[in-house]
Amino acid sequence: MKPLERVRAFVAVNLPAEAVTRVAELQRQLKPKAAGLGLRLGWISPANLHVTLKFLGEIPREVVPAISAALERCVAGIEPLPVTVQGVGAFPSPARPRVIWVGVQSPGGALEKLAARVEHALGELGFSPEARPFHAHLTIGRVREGGGDLTAGAPEAPVDQCALSELVLYQSVLSSRDAEYTPLFRLPLPQPPRAARERAERRAEESSRDGEEGSEDARDDDT
């Protein structure tokens, strides 16, 4: 039997182009400071900036329709999602940085609620829950060498309030230089209730048909 094709995937939300441009400007301002501290970073390309809602790991490509249908149900009737991009931080700590990020906040925890809906919907498909609490952020750089607090005195992210533009299921292909992200499914935000419901029903029907045609091995791999 031919092995199932597997892809490394995650669910994310994207910011509008004008917000991404401003975050890219912040990266440009941080580069001289990083060099002065002796930090060597791999800066994330503006085209790859996103807020990860859930990392799925290696999944069979055959489950993409089912995941897409679940995501459509998550955003059915959802209101516009305003967010504020502000503050620079580091994981695991500013003194020992490995990931440099910009914070993303939403009124009333709207983004956290969306992440919880995604978590629940994909949990019903067999995906394990995240072990760590959700922390909305944009990864802007990964430290490859050196140490030092890049966040101290860092300029604020020059972004006021904006609205999230889309929910995306991405395929991630790692390389020595940078990851390459390919959309497997895009969903503009917000979704009109009726349109989102009809799309979700159509995806669910397609997923059901695919499941009936697939092998027992394929269904076992879904979890």
Side-chain angles (χ1 to χ4, degrees):
M1 181 178 295
K2 183 179 179 180
L4 292 174
E5 180 187 1
R6 302 182 73 86
V7 295
R8 188 173 187 267
F10 64 94
V11 180
V13 285
N14 287 339
L15 298 175
E18 58 270 22
V20 171
T21 298
R22 294 181 181 180
V23 174
E25 172 61 20
L26 173 65
Q27 290 177 307
R28 188 190 66 79
Q29 295 175 22
L30 288 174
K31 287 178 180 179
K33 181 177 176 64
L37 291 171
L39 287 171
R40 189 169 68 87
L41 279 86
W43 295 98
I44 305 302
S45 165
N48 283 348
L49 292 172
H50 63 270
V51 179
T52 299
L53 297 184
K54 184 171 180 61
F55 178 68
L56 304 179
E58 299 282 340
I59 65 170
R61 186 177 286 275
E62 284 78 1
V63 304
V64 168
I67 295 172
S68 301
L71 295 179
E72 287 183 317
R73 291 192 294 271
C74 287
V75 301
I78 197 170
E79 297 293 327
L81 283 171
V83 295
T84 302
V85 182
Q86 61 180 16
V88 180
F91 295 139
S93 70
R96 297 171 50 248
R98 287 295 171 265
V99 171
I100 308 299
W101 51 262
V102 170
V104 180
Q105 300 177 3
S106 56
L111 188 51
E112 286 75 9
K113 292 174 183 176
L114 175 59
R117 292 174 71 171
V118 169
E119 185 75 66
H120 176 74
L122 297 186
E124 292 183 338
L125 296 181
F127 289 96
S128 300
E130 295 288 344
R132 294 174 294 182
F134 175 69
H135 180 276
H137 66 279
L138 295 166
T139 295
I140 63 171
R142 292 186 175 89
V143 178
R144 294 175 176 171
E145 187 177 292
D149 188 356
L150 184 60
T151 68
E156 284 292 315
V159 177
D160 294 324
Q161 196 175 79
C162 61
L164 296 175
S165 62
E166 61 180 355
L167 179 71
V168 186
L169 173 64
Y170 278 112
Q171 176 182 352
S172 172
V173 178
L174 302 179
S175 70
S176 58
R177 297 186 61 184
D178 197 2
E180 179 181 344
Y181 302 143
T182 302
L184 299 173
F185 176 69
R186 290 183 181 271
L187 195 60
L189 297 174
Q191 284 280 294
R194 181 175 178 179
R197 185 171 60 252
E198 290 175 349
R199 285 164 59 94
E201 290 172 353
R202 185 170 64 253
R203 287 281 182 177
E205 290 175 1
E206 293 173 356
S207 177
S208 177
R209 288 197 299 268
D210 290 342
E212 291 172 357
E213 295 171 358
S215 67
E216 288 297 326
D217 290 338
R219 285 193 287 274
D220 288 344
D221 276 345
D222 287 354
T223 57

